[in-house]
Amino acid sequence: DQQVKQNSPSLSVQEGRISILNCDYTNSMFDYFLWYKKYPAEGPTFLISISSIKDKNEDGRFTVFLNKSAKHLSLHIVPSQPGDSAVYFCAVTGGKTSYDKVIFGPGTSLSVIP
Amino acid sequence: DSGVTQTPKHLITATGQRVTLRCSPRSGDLSVYWYQQSLDQGLQFLIQYYNGEERAKGNILERFSAQQFPDLHSELNLSSLELGDSALYFCASSAGPGTEAFFGQGTRLTVV
């Protein structure tokens, strides 16, 4: 039973345009949400996070939006650059039974076309 | 550089054997996590330690075990290896629950 879903396995975007990556989770007890970026043969790199007390967090070209009622978060990359091409993982943590786990979604492979 | 060090980077071994993967967390981090990534699959959570104690367990096989030592480094032991255990094994560390985890470069295990 997947607790974290990323329903788009892949996404292609033109350079300069916006990339929107989506993530859905099942347990409303999760209270901290993260996005990681992964290049082939490297470990995931932390990108941006948001806690459940906020609905938006911005860091440069990256913005994460959280909709707690819909149990949905999204990552916006504006403008997209070819170097952003990677696999993006959504991750969640928190809640009584899973507080110490960081649970990852299956990932979305983003290709930014020059 | 995330500050998390994993050794070895690559490991090739035969079925039935036992291997130990090592992880040194970032300086000051008390939490260590182990993940398995098989063939373009997602990151499967295996186990987590906090300051030497096991805190959370995921889909870790009984043939696998881990521990965190007093100096906070961690080892993941994989025994009676099968072909299906071939994967990338990542270690991550964090300051504690509810904080971002930083990943090592991974150990690529190939079982032949």
Side-chain angles (χ1 to χ4, degrees), chain A residues 32 36 38 43-44 99-100 102, chain B residues 33 35 37 48 55 97 100-101 104:
Chain A
Y32 193 62
Y36 285 81
K38 186 180 182 301
Y99 190 58
D100 293 330
V102 180
Chain B
Y33 307 80
Y35 290 86
Q37 186 182 29
Q48 186 233 345
R55 288 287 285 266
E100 53 267 27

Side-chain angles (χ1 to χ4, degrees), chain A residues 24-60:
Chain A
D24 295 289
Y25 58 96
T26 55
N27 191 335
S28 57
M29 295 293 285
F30 292 131
D31 59 12
Y32 193 62
F33 307 89
L34 311 98
W35 283 96
Y36 285 81
K37 174 177 168 178
K38 186 180 182 301
Y39 294 116
E42 292 185 13
T45 303
F46 170 72
L47 205 52
I48 193 169
S49 63
I50 188 167
S51 78
S52 58
I53 61 172
K54 292 185 173 182
D55 54 20
K56 178 182 172 181
N57 189 25
E58 219 169 327
D59 184 2

